[in-house]
Amino acid sequence: MWNNLKKHSITLFLLCALLACSKVPDGVLSEADMQKVLLDMQVAEALTGINYQDYAVDSVKLALYESVFRKHKITQAKYDSSLVWYGRNLDIYMKVYERMIADLNRQIANLGDVQASAAPSSNRDSVDIWPRRTMLVLQPENVFNAVTFDIQPESNYSSGSSFVLGLRVWGLKDNLTYKPEIRLNAVHRDTILTVNKEIDKDGYYEVVLRTMPTRQVRKVYGYIRLDNNDQDYTKVYIDSLNLIKYNYGTAIPGHPD
């Protein structure tokens, strides 16, 4: 009898392991799947917060969330119904949420891509103020296929400062529907200056942003990103990232006035 009970217990254990012992009903995302979706939604929320001007329109914000649903092959209706179920089962939801936060913290630590809290604040000339790691890999499985930066110096950059964002790209295919794009912004007290550039082939690129000679610069921000919609590629590599600040009147190598 003991042997039979033992075999029965082992059978139940194996069945439970096979089915992941899920308490979640049909039509609701499993705990593991919910954890993955919540992680990507957390990243999407962070992106809309950092680039609030780009995502001020609801339709643009919804398109970002839709990209999360496409990645996980679910509908918004299933995500919403899953949120309702987990909201009624907070003990399970909190465990899923805590595991998601742990995953997020591990990803941040593994990337080594935590932005410095403040860029150099002096008016030194020809200084690299790039605050993140100097390489980036763009790939289809990234829901947030980009790097953002938001540089706010302890004191304003001098009036008329110029900023040159440089990077080297390789791995691009000729048939990409969407190309990597660069956006660089500088903020004066009441004005935002912007330059955009699309990357269409392998090589070294520089984007130059010259600011107003009578206004100090409060911050510099932007992104490098690749839209994943309907893409057929493996990986695009970016390295040698730098962002050089030049004082007003300083000649920029390779970019005459």
Side-chain angles (χ1 to χ4, degrees):
M1 181 177 178
W2 171 250
N3 288 335
N4 287 337
L5 286 173
K6 194 173 181 181
K7 289 179 182 177
H8 183 63
S9 298
I10 292 173
T11 301
L12 284 177
F13 174 80
L14 292 174
L15 182 61
C16 184
L18 186 63
L19 298 178
C21 289
S22 179
K23 304 171 186 177
V24 176
D26 292 340
V28 173
L29 289 168
S30 70
E31 293 181 36
D33 288 340
M34 190 65 177
Q35 181 179 331
K36 293 174 184 175
V37 175
L38 283 175
L39 178 60
D40 285 339
M41 289 298 283
Q42 189 85 0
V43 174
E45 289 286 353
L47 176 59
T48 61
I50 292 171
N51 295 293
Y52 54 89
Q53 289 183 322
D54 294 338
Y55 292 96
V57 180
D58 286 342
S59 60
V60 178
K61 194 179 296 184
L62 289 173
L64 176 63
Y65 297 147
E66 192 62 39
S67 70
V68 176
F69 303 144
R70 283 199 307 272
K71 175 184 176 182
H72 294 280
K73 298 181 175 144
I74 62 172
T75 62
Q76 182 172 351
K78 184 164 186 177
Y79 175 69
D80 290 342
S81 62
S82 297
L83 278 180
V84 170
W85 186 89
Y86 279 97
R88 291 172 181 164
N89 296 270
L90 285 177
D91 55 333
I92 299 176
Y93 177 77
M94 289 309 298
K95 291 177 182 176
V96 171
Y97 188 82
E98 287 170 3
R99 291 196 296 266
M100 180 273 292
I101 291 297
D103 279 349
L104 183 60
N105 289 335
R106 275 194 296 270
Q107 287 190 21
I108 292 172
N110 290 337
L111 285 173
D113 193 24
V114 180
Q115 178 165 307
S117 59
S121 58
S122 71
N123 287 327
R124 288 185 298 154
D125 196 10
S126 307
V127 58
D128 188 359
I129 62 171
W130 180 252
R132 296 191 178 276
R133 57 190 182 132
T134 58
M135 60 86 63
L136 172 68
V137 179
L138 306 173
Q139 48 193 342
E141 56 265 33
N142 294 345
V143 63
F144 177 35
N145 210 22
V147 62
T148 65
F149 54 94
D150 189 347
I151 306 168
Q152 302 184 52
E154 295 171 354
S155 60
N156 292 343
Y157 291 127
S158 56
S159 300
S161 295
S162 294
F163 301 89
V164 180
L165 177 62
L167 65 156
R168 188 167 67 92
V169 182
W170 46 290
L172 280 175
K173 290 184 176 180
D174 294 335
N175 60 348
L176 279 179
T177 304
Y178 301 95
K179 307 291 193 301
E181 57 180 340
I182 303 168
R183 175 171 292 185
L184 180 59
N185 307 277
V187 179
H188 294 298
R189 184 170 60 85
D190 53 2
T191 307
I192 299 176
L193 304 177
T194 301
V195 291
N196 297 292
K197 188 176 185 66
E198 185 178 80
I199 302 171
D200 55 6
K201 60 184 179 180
D202 290 353
Y204 185 77
Y205 290 83
E206 286 187 337
V207 175
V208 179
L209 177 57
R210 302 178 190 274
T211 64
M212 302 170 69
T214 58
R215 304 282 182 89
Q216 292 185 334
V217 180
R218 290 190 168 186
K219 75 171 184 174
V220 180
Y221 71 98
Y223 60 73
I224 303 162
R225 70 184 293 264
L226 174 58
D227 194 325
N228 270 347
N229 288 328
D230 304 319
Q231 293 284 42
D232 179 22
Y233 71 100
T234 305
K235 291 182 179 181
V236 175
Y237 298 90
I238 295 176
D239 61 26
S240 305
L241 272 162
N242 61 87
L243 179 57
I244 309 298
K245 181 193 77 70
Y246 294 93
N247 287 342
Y248 179 67
T250 300
I252 301 176
H255 299 277
D257 293 338

